[in-house]
Amino acid sequence: MARSLLPDDIAALAARVVAENAAAGRKVATVESCTGGLVAGAITEIAGSSAVLERGFVTYSNEAKMEMLGVGRDIIETFGAVSIACAWAMAKGALDRSRADVAVAISGVAGPGGGTPNKPVGTVVFARVVRGETGEPEGELKFFEGGEGPDGRAEIRRQATLCALELLLP
């Protein structure tokens, strides 16, 4: 594989996201909090990504989630920013504010601080919304191990990036 700024596993998966979505004629949008743009960055490492990546949102603060994506204050106050409800509202907001066919949102606690007993460091939520699909929102809460130690934050963000890229595969 050509030289990349990213680890091989992320670069390989991003290449699949670009190739498979391009073949399907599908545009994607990313909505990132704890990954801070890593998913969009991984996609743009791949030549031809402009045929697939419609746009990316980095909404790290709660205010950005509300202002840029229309996430309701009541969702954040009731469930928190690290909740399936918030991630789904983020993904839906991105789809509503873009021309993408699918949006994936990520929000989590990458650490080393910020965790709580209910949402410890390593807790990450994902949501995917596909234009035109009806039914229950797609969301998932995951806990990623490895958050302790000097490389903990990077490891959680790496795992979250991989998971989000998988969700972008057709």
Side-chain angles (χ1 to χ4, degrees):
M1 182 170 283
R3 187 166 183 258
S4 173
L5 293 172
L6 303 170
D8 290 343
D9 56 350
I10 291 175
L13 188 52
R16 281 189 58 206
V17 166
V18 170
E20 292 179 26
N21 280 288
R26 198 168 89 150
K27 296 272 192 180
V28 304
T30 61
V31 190
E32 303 181 65
S33 188
C34 67
T35 50
L38 288 173
V39 179
I43 294 169
T44 61
E45 274 286 291
I46 308 305
S49 60
S50 59
V52 170
L53 183 63
E54 205 280 327
R55 68 185 71 191
F57 298 86
V58 176
T59 55
Y60 207 71
S61 70
N62 290 342
E63 291 76 17
K65 291 170 181 63
M66 292 184 286
E67 292 169 13
M68 293 174 68
L69 302 170
V71 175
R73 181 177 299 280
D74 58 327
I75 290 174
I76 292 173
E77 289 176 354
T78 303
F79 302 104
V82 181
S83 66
I84 291 173
C86 184
W88 185 82
M90 290 165 64
K92 174 90 171 70
L95 208 60
D96 291 345
R97 288 159 177 79
S98 74
R99 292 176 186 84
D101 301 299
V102 61
V104 168
I106 309 105
S107 186
V109 185
T116 67
N118 290 336
K119 295 177 186 170
V121 170
T123 303
V124 183
V125 292
F126 301 87
R128 176 173 67 181
V129 177
V130 178
R131 190 173 304 284
E133 283 191 4
T134 57
E136 291 296 311
E138 264 186 88
E140 187 174 5
L141 183 146
K142 290 190 173 240
F143 179 76
F144 295 119
E145 297 287 341
E148 306 79 28
D151 298 330
R153 181 177 179 84
E155 179 57 21
I156 289 166
R157 294 175 77 216
R158 184 189 73 76
Q159 290 180 67
T161 298
L162 286 166
C163 185
L165 287 167
E166 291 212 5
L167 288 171
L168 287 170
L169 292 169

